[in-house]
Amino acid sequence: MSMHTAYAERAHAGAAPIHGASSHTATALPYYAEQADECTLFAHCHAQQLPLLIKGPTGCGKTRFVEHMAARLGRPLITVSCHDDLSAADLVGRHLIGQGSTVWADGPLTRGVREGAIVYLDEVVEARKDTTVVLHPLADDRRVLPVERTGELIKAPPEFMLVISYNPGYQNLLKGLKPSTRQRFTALALDYPAPAVERRILEVEGGVPAQVAARLVQLAQALRRLTDHDLEETASTRLLVMAARLIAAGMGMQQACHAAVIQALSDDPETVRALQDVVGAVVGDEP
């Protein structure tokens, strides 16, 4: 049994908690199948008060990994999905007017620092450039959050951890992580799981038998090898789980793959037909 498969079995049955973490039952932990030593790295970063940058393609398990580790470490998790209009005030907080008075309302970053939570900024490169600057004093040895509008300088407690993620495939001159930000973080690169791990994920998360999971992984590998179609993304583990759940509910394999995988990858009719041909070649005559 490989290290990857062994961990998947332990996680499903109830893995021992990481050294220094609070104890959780297996049902309390979001399922996550480890690819290498990322759980150990995350735990060490938390213990040493280091921020973490997670790089990886869409749907490879970045968010689930953070959810799993927050539960495993016994810390509250605050997740922010970053977008073009996300401002520093959205993260830190702002004054609100209500009932004839002005009241300060903490943003998710400030609330996370006060509570000693794990704050996860998903797809951080989507946020405005000036927004990521507010992370700098939290991500270096100072570990403080200046709140200019209230005059506060909030010191992060030891339990607080800052985690950010992005998809390197989306990076360009306009959307990239500045070196001054990147070099404040310990970095972790994730990719789609190895076939044995991905099959186990589909069995557990998708509720399908081993032979169906193996066929879906075979399809994903075929789609990921395609280079002659202009696809922004390829078949992710997330899409495979969606297809598996449709199959588990009684939908035919070809129909489930078409709805959950192929249509999600492209709107171009010619490309969709070509991808569907791959489904037919892998799945065969199964409806």
Side-chain angles (χ1 to χ4, degrees):
M1 180 181 292
S2 69
M3 178 183 69
H4 294 156
T5 307
Y7 179 82
E9 296 288 349
R10 293 200 309 274
H12 186 50
I18 291 175
H19 179 70
S22 19
S23 178
H24 292 269
T25 62
T27 55
L29 291 176
Y31 178 80
Y32 178 75
E34 189 172 15
Q35 298 183 36
D37 295 320
E38 64 265 28
C39 292
T40 300
L41 174 62
F42 193 110
H44 284 326
C45 286
H46 183 263
Q48 295 299 320
Q49 302 177 31
L50 297 173
L52 180 64
L53 161 64
I54 305 173
K55 304 180 287 184
T58 296
C60 72
K62 298 188 295 294
T63 298
R64 176 58 66 89
F65 170 53
V66 177
E67 291 172 347
H68 174 85
M69 290 307 303
R72 197 162 167 177
L73 293 167
R75 301 310 309 157
L77 173 64
I78 296 176
T79 298
V80 179
S81 296
C82 298
H83 53 81
D84 290 339
D85 294 327
L86 186 72
S87 67
D90 292 327
L91 288 179
V92 177
R94 52 170 53 90
H95 285 101
L96 302 176
I97 300 175
Q99 299 181 349
S101 63
T102 302
V103 180
W104 173 260
D106 282 344
L109 182 60
T110 305
R111 189 169 71 252
V113 174
R114 294 192 198 276
E115 296 176 0
I118 293 174
V119 175
Y120 173 48
L121 304 183
D122 186 22
E123 297 297 345
V124 70
V125 295
E126 297 295 325
R128 287 166 25 179
K129 291 291 186 182
D130 59 334
T131 303
T132 56
V133 175
V134 304
L135 305 178
H136 288 187
L138 271 177
D140 57 29
D141 289 341
R142 291 171 289 177
R143 284 177 59 86
V144 295
L145 177 63
V147 184
E148 296 180 3
R149 296 187 180 184
T150 64
E152 292 180 272
L153 187 65
I154 307 173
K155 177 69 175 176
E159 316 82 67
F160 170 79
M161 182 176 180
L162 179 62
V163 183
I164 64 176
S165 74
Y166 72 92
N167 181 349
Y170 285 162
Q171 285 215 103
N172 55 43
L173 292 177
L174 298 178
K175 287 188 176 182
L177 204 58
K178 299 195 317 185
S180 59
T181 301
R182 183 198 299 269
Q183 293 186 20
R184 283 173 160 83
F185 287 80
T186 303
L188 166 67
L190 293 181
D191 205 340
Y192 298 122
V197 178
E198 199 162 43
R199 288 195 298 269
R200 182 61 179 157
I201 291 171
L202 296 183
E203 293 177 48
V204 175
E205 293 281 284
V208 293
Q211 63 270 25
V212 174
R215 191 69 63 84
L216 289 173
V217 171
Q218 183 183 356
L219 172 62
Q221 291 178 307
L223 293 174
R224 290 166 187 168
R225 287 193 295 265
L226 291 178
T227 58
D228 55 346
H229 294 286
D230 188 19
L231 296 175
E232 290 186 4
E233 290 288 349
T234 187
S236 68
T237 305
R238 179 191 296 131
L239 294 184
L240 296 184
V241 169
M242 293 167 62
R245 288 177 176 172
L246 291 177
I247 295 167
M251 183 175 284
M253 188 176 294
Q254 281 203 23
Q255 187 180 3
C257 292
H258 182 80
V261 181
I262 304 306
Q263 289 292 345
L265 292 178
S266 178
D267 295 323
D268 177 65
E270 183 177 343
T271 300
V272 168
R273 285 193 296 270
L275 297 179
Q276 192 61 43
D277 288 342
V278 178
V279 172
V282 174
V283 174
D285 295 331
E286 297 185 39

